[in-house]
Coordinates of all heavy atoms in Angstrom, one line a residue:
M252 N 7.2 -15.0 -9.6 CA 6.3 -13.8 -9.3 C 6.9 -12.9 -8.2 O 6.8 -11.7 -8.3 CB 4.9 -14.3 -9.0 CG 4.0 -13.1 -8.7 SD 2.3 -13.6 -8.6 CE 1.6 -12.3 -7.6
A253 N 7.4 -13.5 -7.2 CA 8.0 -12.8 -6.1 C 9.1 -11.9 -6.6 O 9.3 -10.7 -6.2 CB 8.5 -13.7 -4.9
E254 N 9.9 -12.4 -7.5 CA 11.0 -11.6 -8.0 C 10.6 -10.4 -8.8 O 11.1 -9.4 -8.8 CB 12.0 -12.5 -8.8 CG 12.7 -13.5 -8.0 CD 13.5 -12.9 -6.9 OE1 14.2 -11.9 -7.2 OE2 13.5 -13.5 -5.8
D255 N 9.4 -10.7 -9.6 CA 8.8 -9.6 -10.4 C 8.4 -8.5 -9.5 O 8.6 -7.3 -9.8 CB 7.7 -10.2 -11.2 CG 7.1 -9.1 -12.2 OD1 7.9 -8.4 -12.8 OD2 5.9 -9.1 -12.3
I256 N 7.7 -8.8 -8.4 CA 7.2 -7.7 -7.5 C 8.4 -7.1 -6.8 O 8.4 -5.9 -6.6 CB 6.3 -8.4 -6.5 CG1 4.9 -8.7 -7.2 CG2 6.0 -7.4 -5.3 CD1 3.9 -9.4 -6.3
K257 N 9.4 -7.8 -6.4 CA 10.6 -7.2 -5.8 C 11.3 -6.2 -6.7 O 11.8 -5.2 -6.3 CB 11.5 -8.3 -5.3 CG 11.1 -9.0 -4.1 CD 12.0 -10.1 -3.6 CE 11.4 -10.9 -2.4 NZ 12.3 -11.9 -2.0
T258 N 11.3 -6.6 -8.0 CA 11.9 -5.7 -9.0 C 11.1 -4.5 -9.2 O 11.6 -3.4 -9.3 CB 12.0 -6.5 -10.4 OG1 12.8 -7.6 -10.2 CG2 12.7 -5.5 -11.4
K259 N 9.7 -4.6 -9.2 CA 8.9 -3.4 -9.3 C 9.1 -2.5 -8.1 O 9.1 -1.3 -8.2 CB 7.4 -3.8 -9.4 CG 7.0 -4.4 -10.7 CD 5.6 -4.7 -10.8 CE 5.2 -5.3 -12.1 NZ 3.7 -5.6 -12.2
I260 N 9.1 -3.1 -6.9 CA 9.3 -2.3 -5.7 C 10.7 -1.5 -5.7 O 10.8 -0.4 -5.4 CB 9.2 -3.1 -4.4 CG1 7.7 -3.6 -4.3 CG2 9.6 -2.3 -3.2 CD1 7.5 -4.6 -3.2
K261 N 11.7 -2.3 -6.2 CA 13.0 -1.7 -6.3 C 13.0 -0.5 -7.3 O 13.7 0.6 -7.0 CB 14.1 -2.7 -6.8 CG 15.4 -2.2 -6.8 CD 16.4 -3.3 -7.3 CE 17.8 -2.8 -7.6 NZ 18.6 -3.7 -8.3
N262 N 12.3 -0.6 -8.4 CA 12.3 0.5 -9.4 C 11.1 1.5 -9.2 O 10.8 2.3 -10.0 CB 12.2 -0.2 -10.8 CG 13.3 -1.0 -11.1 OD1 14.5 -0.7 -10.7 ND2 13.1 -2.0 -11.9
Y263 N 10.5 1.4 -8.0 CA 9.3 2.1 -7.7 C 9.6 3.6 -7.7 O 10.6 4.1 -7.0 CB 8.8 1.7 -6.3 CG 7.7 2.5 -5.7 CD1 6.4 2.3 -6.2 CD2 7.9 3.4 -4.8 CE1 5.4 3.1 -5.6 CE2 6.9 4.2 -4.2 CZ 5.6 4.0 -4.6 OH 4.6 4.7 -4.1
L264 N 8.8 4.4 -8.4 CA 8.9 5.9 -8.3 C 7.7 6.5 -7.7 O 7.7 7.3 -6.8 CB 9.1 6.4 -9.7 CG 10.4 6.0 -10.4 CD1 10.5 6.5 -11.8 CD2 11.6 6.5 -9.6
T265 N 6.5 6.1 -8.3 CA 5.2 6.6 -7.7 C 4.2 5.6 -8.1 O 4.4 4.7 -8.9 CB 4.9 8.0 -8.2 OG1 3.7 8.5 -7.5 CG2 4.6 8.0 -9.7
A266 N 3.1 5.6 -7.4 CA 2.0 4.7 -7.6 C 1.4 4.7 -9.0 O 1.2 5.9 -9.6 CB 0.9 4.9 -6.6
P267 N 1.2 3.6 -9.7 CA 0.6 3.6 -11.0 C -0.9 4.0 -11.0 O -1.5 4.0 -9.9 CB 0.8 2.2 -11.5 CG 0.8 1.4 -10.3 CD 1.4 2.3 -9.2
F268 N -1.4 4.3 -12.2 CA -2.9 4.6 -12.3 C -3.7 3.4 -11.9 O -3.4 2.3 -12.3 CB -3.2 5.0 -13.7 CG -4.7 5.2 -13.9 CD1 -5.3 6.4 -13.4 CD2 -5.4 4.3 -14.6 CE1 -6.7 6.6 -13.6 CE2 -6.8 4.5 -14.8 CZ -7.4 5.6 -14.3
D269 N -4.7 3.6 -11.1 CA -5.6 2.5 -10.7 C -7.0 2.9 -11.2 O -7.6 3.9 -10.7 CB -5.6 2.4 -9.1 CG -6.4 1.2 -8.7 OD1 -7.1 0.6 -9.5 OD2 -6.3 0.8 -7.5
S270 N -7.5 2.1 -12.1 CA -8.8 2.4 -12.7 C -10.0 2.3 -11.7 O -11.1 2.8 -12.0 CB -9.1 1.5 -13.9 OG -9.1 0.1 -13.5
C271 N -9.8 1.7 -10.6 CA -10.8 1.7 -9.5 C -11.0 3.0 -8.9 O -12.1 3.3 -8.3 CB -10.5 0.7 -8.4 SG -10.4 -1.0 -9.0
F272 N -10.0 3.9 -9.0 CA -10.1 5.2 -8.4 C -9.7 6.3 -9.5 O -8.6 6.9 -9.5 CB -9.1 5.3 -7.3 CG -9.3 4.3 -6.2 CD1 -8.6 3.2 -6.2 CD2 -10.3 4.5 -5.3 CE1 -8.8 2.2 -5.2 CE2 -10.5 3.6 -4.3 CZ -9.8 2.4 -4.3
P273 N -10.6 6.5 -10.5 CA -10.3 7.3 -11.6 C -10.3 8.9 -11.3 O -9.8 9.6 -12.1 CB -11.3 7.0 -12.7 CG -12.5 6.6 -11.9 CD -11.9 5.9 -10.7
S274 N -10.9 9.3 -10.3 CA -11.1 10.7 -10.0 C -9.8 11.3 -9.4 O -8.9 10.6 -9.1 CB -12.3 11.0 -9.1 OG -12.0 10.5 -7.8
Q275 N -9.8 12.6 -9.3 CA -8.6 13.3 -8.8 C -8.5 13.0 -7.3 O -7.3 13.0 -6.8 CB -8.8 14.8 -9.0 CG -7.5 15.5 -9.2 CD -7.7 16.9 -9.7 OE1 -8.8 17.4 -9.9 NE2 -6.7 17.6 -9.9
N276 N -9.6 12.8 -6.6 CA -9.6 12.6 -5.2 C -9.1 11.1 -4.9 O -9.8 10.2 -5.2 CB -11.0 12.8 -4.6 CG -11.0 12.6 -3.1 OD1 -10.0 12.2 -2.5 ND2 -12.1 13.0 -2.5
Q277 N -7.9 11.0 -4.3 CA -7.3 9.7 -4.1 C -7.4 9.2 -2.7 O -6.7 8.3 -2.3 CB -5.9 9.7 -4.5 CG -5.7 9.9 -6.1 CD -6.2 8.7 -6.8 OE1 -5.9 7.6 -6.6 NE2 -7.1 9.0 -7.8
T278 N -8.3 9.8 -1.9 CA -8.5 9.4 -0.5 C -8.9 7.9 -0.4 O -8.3 7.2 0.5 CB -9.6 10.3 0.2 OG1 -9.3 11.6 0.0 CG2 -9.7 9.9 1.6
G279 N -9.8 7.4 -1.2 CA -10.2 6.1 -1.2 C -9.1 5.1 -1.6 O -8.9 4.1 -1.0
N280 N -8.3 5.5 -2.5 CA -7.1 4.7 -2.9 C -6.1 4.6 -1.8 O -5.6 3.6 -1.5 CB -6.5 5.4 -4.2 CG -5.5 4.5 -4.9 OD1 -5.2 3.4 -4.4 ND2 -5.0 4.9 -6.0
C281 N -5.9 5.7 -1.1 CA -5.0 5.8 0.1 C -5.5 4.8 1.1 O -4.7 3.9 1.6 CB -5.0 7.2 0.6 SG -4.5 7.4 2.3
W282 N -6.7 4.9 1.5 CA -7.3 4.0 2.6 C -7.3 2.5 2.1 O -6.9 1.7 2.9 CB -8.7 4.5 2.9 CG -9.4 3.6 3.9 CD1 -10.6 2.9 3.7 CD2 -9.1 3.4 5.3 NE1 -10.9 2.3 4.8 CE2 -10.1 2.6 5.8 CE3 -8.1 3.9 6.1 CZ2 -10.0 2.1 7.1 CZ3 -8.0 3.5 7.4 CH2 -9.0 2.6 7.9
Q283 N -7.7 2.3 0.9 CA -7.7 0.9 0.4 C -6.3 0.2 0.4 O -6.2 -0.9 0.9 CB -8.4 0.8 -0.9 CG -8.6 -0.6 -1.4 CD -9.6 -1.3 -0.4 OE1 -10.7 -0.8 -0.1 NE2 -9.2 -2.5 0.1
N284 N -5.3 1.0 0.0 CA -4.0 0.4 0.0 C -3.4 0.2 1.4 O -2.7 -0.7 1.7 CB -3.1 1.2 -0.9 CG -3.3 0.9 -2.4 OD1 -2.9 -0.2 -2.8 ND2 -3.9 1.8 -3.1
Y285 N -3.8 1.2 2.3 CA -3.4 1.0 3.7 C -4.0 -0.3 4.3 O -3.3 -1.1 4.9 CB -3.9 2.2 4.5 CG -3.6 2.2 5.9 CD1 -2.3 2.6 6.4 CD2 -4.5 1.8 6.9 CE1 -2.0 2.5 7.8 CE2 -4.2 1.7 8.2 CZ -2.9 2.1 8.6 OH -2.6 2.0 10.0
L286 N -5.3 -0.5 4.1 CA -5.9 -1.7 4.5 C -5.3 -3.0 3.8 O -5.0 -4.0 4.5 CB -7.4 -1.7 4.2 CG -8.2 -0.7 5.1 CD1 -9.7 -0.8 4.6 CD2 -8.1 -1.0 6.6
D287 N -5.1 -2.9 2.5 CA -4.5 -4.1 1.8 C -3.1 -4.4 2.3 O -2.8 -5.6 2.5 CB -4.5 -3.8 0.3 CG -5.8 -3.8 -0.3 OD1 -6.8 -4.2 0.2 OD2 -5.9 -3.2 -1.5
F288 N -2.4 -3.4 2.6 CA -1.0 -3.7 3.2 C -1.1 -4.5 4.5 O -0.5 -5.5 4.7 CB -0.2 -2.4 3.5 CG 1.0 -2.6 4.3 CD1 2.1 -3.3 3.8 CD2 1.1 -2.1 5.6 CE1 3.2 -3.5 4.5 CE2 2.2 -2.3 6.3 CZ 3.3 -3.0 5.8
H289 N -2.0 -4.0 5.4 CA -2.1 -4.6 6.7 C -2.7 -6.0 6.6 O -2.3 -6.9 7.3 CB -2.8 -3.7 7.7 CG -1.9 -2.6 8.1 ND1 -0.9 -2.7 9.0 CD2 -2.0 -1.3 7.8 CE1 -0.3 -1.5 9.1 NE2 -0.9 -0.6 8.4
H290 N -3.7 -6.1 5.8 CA -4.3 -7.5 5.5 C -3.3 -8.5 5.0 O -3.2 -9.6 5.4 CB -5.5 -7.4 4.6 CG -6.7 -6.8 5.3 ND1 -7.7 -6.2 4.5 CD2 -7.0 -6.5 6.6 CE1 -8.6 -5.6 5.3 NE2 -8.2 -5.8 6.5
C291 N -2.6 -8.0 3.9 CA -1.6 -8.9 3.3 C -0.5 -9.3 4.3 O -0.1 -10.4 4.3 CB -1.0 -8.1 2.1 SG 0.3 -9.1 1.2
E292 N 0.0 -8.3 5.0 CA 1.1 -8.5 6.0 C 0.6 -9.6 7.1 O 1.4 -10.5 7.4 CB 1.5 -7.2 6.7 CG 2.7 -7.4 7.5 CD 3.2 -6.0 8.1 OE1 2.3 -5.3 8.6 OE2 4.4 -5.7 7.9
K293 N -0.6 -9.4 7.5 CA -1.1 -10.3 8.6 C -1.3 -11.7 8.0 O -0.9 -12.7 8.6 CB -2.5 -9.8 9.0 CG -3.1 -10.6 10.2 CD -4.4 -9.9 10.7 CE -5.0 -10.7 11.8 NZ -6.2 -10.1 12.3
A294 N -1.8 -11.8 6.8 CA -2.0 -13.1 6.1 C -0.7 -13.8 5.8 O -0.6 -15.0 6.1 CB -2.8 -13.0 4.9
M295 N 0.2 -13.1 5.3 CA 1.5 -13.7 5.0 C 2.3 -14.1 6.3 O 3.0 -15.1 6.3 CB 2.4 -12.7 4.2 CG 1.9 -12.5 2.8 SD 1.6 -14.0 1.9 CE 2.6 -13.6 0.5
T296 N 2.2 -13.4 7.3 CA 2.8 -13.7 8.6 C 2.2 -15.0 9.1 O 2.9 -15.9 9.6 CB 2.7 -12.6 9.6 OG1 3.3 -11.4 9.0 CG2 3.4 -12.9 10.9
A297 N 0.9 -15.1 9.1 CA 0.2 -16.2 9.6 C 0.5 -17.5 8.8 O 0.6 -18.6 9.4 CB -1.4 -16.0 9.5
K298 N 0.7 -17.3 7.5 CA 1.0 -18.5 6.6 C 2.5 -18.8 6.6 O 2.9 -19.8 6.0 CB 0.5 -18.2 5.2 CG -0.9 -18.2 5.0 CD -1.3 -18.0 3.6 CE -2.8 -17.9 3.4 NZ -3.2 -17.6 2.0
G299 N 3.3 -17.9 7.2 CA 4.8 -18.1 7.1 C 5.3 -17.8 5.8 O 6.4 -18.2 5.4
G300 N 4.6 -16.9 5.0 CA 5.0 -16.5 3.7 C 6.0 -15.4 3.6 O 6.4 -14.8 4.7
D301 N 6.3 -14.9 2.5 CA 7.2 -13.8 2.3 C 6.4 -12.5 2.4 O 5.6 -12.1 1.6 CB 7.7 -13.9 0.8 CG 8.8 -12.9 0.5 OD1 9.2 -12.2 1.4 OD2 9.2 -12.8 -0.7
V302 N 6.7 -11.8 3.5 CA 6.0 -10.6 3.9 C 6.4 -9.5 2.9 O 5.7 -8.5 2.7 CB 6.4 -10.2 5.3 CG1 5.7 -8.9 5.7 CG2 6.0 -11.3 6.2
S303 N 7.5 -9.6 2.2 CA 7.9 -8.5 1.2 C 6.9 -8.4 0.1 O 6.9 -7.3 -0.6 CB 9.3 -8.8 0.7 OG 9.3 -10.0 -0.2
M304 N 6.1 -9.4 -0.1 CA 5.0 -9.2 -1.1 C 4.0 -8.1 -0.8 O 3.4 -7.5 -1.6 CB 4.2 -10.6 -1.3 CG 5.1 -11.7 -1.6 SD 5.7 -11.6 -3.3 CE 4.3 -12.0 -4.2
S305 N 3.9 -7.8 0.5 CA 3.0 -6.8 1.0 C 3.5 -5.4 0.8 O 2.8 -4.4 0.9 CB 2.6 -7.0 2.4 OG 2.2 -8.3 2.7
K306 N 4.8 -5.3 0.6 CA 5.5 -4.0 0.5 C 5.0 -3.1 -0.6 O 5.0 -1.9 -0.5 CB 7.0 -4.1 0.4 CG 7.7 -4.8 1.6 CD 7.6 -3.9 2.8 CE 8.3 -4.5 4.0 NZ 8.0 -3.8 5.2
W307 N 4.5 -3.7 -1.6 CA 3.9 -2.9 -2.8 C 2.8 -2.0 -2.3 O 2.8 -0.8 -2.6 CB 3.4 -3.8 -3.9 CG 2.7 -3.0 -5.0 CD1 1.4 -2.9 -5.2 CD2 3.4 -2.1 -5.9 NE1 1.2 -2.1 -6.3 CE2 2.4 -1.6 -6.7 CE3 4.7 -1.8 -6.2 CZ2 2.7 -0.7 -7.8 CZ3 5.0 -0.9 -7.2 CH2 4.0 -0.4 -8.0
Y308 N 1.9 -2.6 -1.5 CA 0.8 -1.8 -0.9 C 1.3 -0.7 0.0 O 0.8 0.5 0.0 CB -0.2 -2.6 -0.1 CG -0.9 -3.7 -1.0 CD1 -0.6 -5.1 -0.7 CD2 -1.7 -3.4 -2.0 CE1 -1.2 -6.0 -1.5 CE2 -2.3 -4.3 -2.7 CZ -2.1 -5.7 -2.5 OH -2.7 -6.6 -3.3
Q309 N 2.3 -0.9 0.7 CA 2.9 0.1 1.6 C 3.5 1.2 0.8 O 3.3 2.4 1.1 CB 4.0 -0.5 2.5 CG 4.6 0.4 3.5 CD 5.6 -0.2 4.4 OE1 6.4 -1.0 3.9 NE2 5.6 0.2 5.6
H310 N 4.2 0.9 -0.3 CA 4.7 2.0 -1.1 C 3.6 2.8 -1.7 O 3.8 4.1 -1.8 CB 5.6 1.4 -2.2 CG 6.9 0.9 -1.8 ND1 7.9 1.7 -1.3 CD2 7.4 -0.3 -1.8 CE1 9.0 1.0 -1.0 NE2 8.7 -0.2 -1.3
V311 N 2.6 2.2 -2.2 CA 1.5 3.0 -2.8 C 0.8 3.9 -1.7 O 0.6 5.0 -2.0 CB 0.4 2.0 -3.4 CG1 -0.8 2.8 -3.9 CG2 1.1 1.2 -4.6
Y312 N 0.4 3.3 -0.6 CA -0.3 4.2 0.4 C 0.6 5.3 0.9 O 0.2 6.3 1.2 CB -0.9 3.4 1.5 CG -0.2 3.0 2.7 CD1 0.2 4.0 3.7 CD2 0.2 1.7 3.0 CE1 0.9 3.6 4.8 CE2 0.9 1.3 4.2 CZ 1.2 2.3 5.1 OH 1.9 2.0 6.2
K313 N 1.9 5.0 1.0 CA 2.8 6.1 1.5 C 2.9 7.2 0.4 O 3.2 8.3 0.8 CB 4.2 5.5 1.8 CG 4.2 4.8 3.1 CD 5.6 4.5 3.5 CE 5.6 3.9 4.9 NZ 7.0 3.7 5.5
S314 N 2.7 6.9 -0.9 CA 2.8 7.9 -1.9 C 1.5 8.7 -1.9 O 1.5 9.9 -2.3 CB 3.2 7.4 -3.2 OG 2.1 6.8 -3.9
F315 N 0.4 8.1 -1.5 CA -0.9 8.8 -1.6 C -1.4 9.5 -0.3 O -2.0 10.5 -0.3 CB -2.0 7.9 -2.0 CG -2.1 7.6 -3.4 CD1 -2.1 6.3 -3.9 CD2 -2.2 8.6 -4.4 CE1 -2.1 6.0 -5.3 CE2 -2.3 8.3 -5.7 CZ -2.2 7.0 -6.2
C316 N -1.0 8.9 0.8 CA -1.6 9.3 2.1 C -0.7 10.3 2.8 O 0.5 10.1 2.9 CB -1.7 8.1 3.1 SG -2.7 6.7 2.4
P317 N -1.3 11.3 3.4 CA -0.6 12.3 4.2 C -0.1 11.6 5.4 O -0.7 10.7 6.0 CB -1.6 13.3 4.6 CG -2.7 13.2 3.6 CD -2.7 11.8 3.2
I318 N 1.1 11.9 5.9 CA 1.7 11.3 7.0 C 0.8 11.3 8.3 O 0.8 10.3 9.0 CB 3.1 11.9 7.3 CG1 4.0 11.6 6.1 CG2 3.7 11.3 8.6 CD1 5.3 12.4 6.2
F319 N 0.2 12.4 8.5 CA -0.6 12.6 9.7 C -1.8 11.6 9.7 O -2.3 11.2 10.7 CB -1.0 14.0 10.0 CG -1.9 14.6 9.0 CD1 -3.3 14.6 9.2 CD2 -1.5 15.3 7.9 CE1 -4.2 15.2 8.3 CE2 -2.3 15.9 7.0 CZ -3.7 15.8 7.2
W320 N -2.4 11.3 8.6 CA -3.4 10.3 8.5 C -2.9 8.9 8.9 O -3.5 8.2 9.7 CB -4.0 10.2 7.1 CG -4.8 11.3 6.6 CD1 -5.1 12.5 7.2 CD2 -5.5 11.3 5.3 NE1 -5.9 13.2 6.4 CE2 -6.1 12.6 5.2 CE3 -5.6 10.4 4.3 CZ2 -6.9 13.0 4.1 CZ3 -6.3 10.9 3.1 CH2 -7.0 12.1 3.1
V321 N -1.8 8.5 8.3 CA -1.2 7.2 8.6 C -0.8 7.1 10.1 O -1.1 6.1 10.7 CB 0.1 7.0 7.7 CG1 0.7 5.7 8.1 CG2 -0.3 7.0 6.3
S322 N -0.3 8.2 10.7 CA 0.0 8.2 12.1 C -1.2 8.0 12.9 O -1.2 7.2 13.9 CB 0.7 9.5 12.5 OG 1.9 9.7 11.8
A323 N -2.3 8.7 12.6 CA -3.6 8.5 13.3 C -4.1 7.1 13.2 O -4.6 6.6 14.2 CB -4.6 9.6 12.8
W324 N -4.0 6.5 12.0 CA -4.6 5.2 11.8 C -3.7 4.2 12.6 O -4.2 3.2 13.1 CB -4.6 4.8 10.3 CG -5.5 5.6 9.5 CD1 -6.6 6.3 10.0 CD2 -5.4 5.9 8.1 NE1 -7.2 7.0 8.9 CE2 -6.5 6.7 7.8 CE3 -4.5 5.5 7.1 CZ2 -6.7 7.2 6.5 CZ3 -4.8 6.0 5.8 CH2 -5.9 6.8 5.5
D325 N -2.4 4.4 12.6 CA -1.5 3.5 13.3 C -1.7 3.5 14.8 O -1.5 2.5 15.5 CB 0.0 3.8 13.0 CG 0.3 3.3 11.6 OD1 -0.4 2.5 11.0 OD2 1.4 3.8 11.1
D326 N -2.1 4.7 15.3 CA -2.4 4.9 16.7 C -3.6 4.2 17.2 O -3.8 4.0 18.4 CB -2.4 6.4 17.1 CG -1.0 7.0 17.0 OD1 0.0 6.3 16.9 OD2 -1.0 8.2 16.9
R327 N -4.5 3.9 16.3 CA -5.8 3.3 16.7 C -5.6 1.8 17.2 O -4.9 1.1 16.8 CB -6.8 3.2 15.6 CG -7.3 4.6 15.3 CD -8.3 4.6 14.2 NE -8.7 5.9 13.9 CZ -9.6 6.2 12.9 NH1 -10.2 5.3 12.2 NH2 -9.9 7.4 12.7

């Protein structure tokens, strides 16, 4: 499974459709993927797991979120 995700990240162009966020406004999708990335990264680090599994969420939130939002969230 790890290889499958690494392959997807390598071939990554833009975030796929997420049926949880069907509307044009992708603010919720941006925020949720930002949180998922940090939760996943923290959990994988604590377990000593492969942190690269979390990179998918990072790619998705970086494609949806404006840079100034991410900078503000990171500063908190």
Side-chain angles (χ1 to χ4, degrees):
M252 181 169 154
E254 293 302 318
D255 185 40
I256 290 176
K257 287 179 184 178
T258 303
K259 284 183 180 181
I260 292 171
K261 182 181 172 190
N262 297 329
Y263 173 78
L264 296 175
T265 188
F268 176 74
D269 186 348
S270 62
C271 295
F272 304 98
S274 68
Q275 209 169 4
N276 184 349
Q277 293 295 307
T278 304
N280 194 354
C281 161
W282 176 244
Q283 189 60 53
N284 280 288
Y285 179 83
L286 290 179
D287 288 345
F288 167 69
H289 288 288
H290 290 158
C291 179
E292 187 176 51
K293 185 177 180 180
M295 293 304 237
T296 302
K298 292 181 182 178
D301 186 8
V302 180
S303 68
M304 301 292 285
S305 306
K306 294 294 182 188
W307 175 253
Y308 297 114
Q309 185 179 35
H310 285 295
V311 172
Y312 87 71
K313 282 188 172 186
S314 81
F315 281 125
C316 303
I318 296 169
F319 66 93
W320 287 4
V321 176
S322 297
W324 296 336
D325 287 341
D326 292 341
R327 289 184 185 177

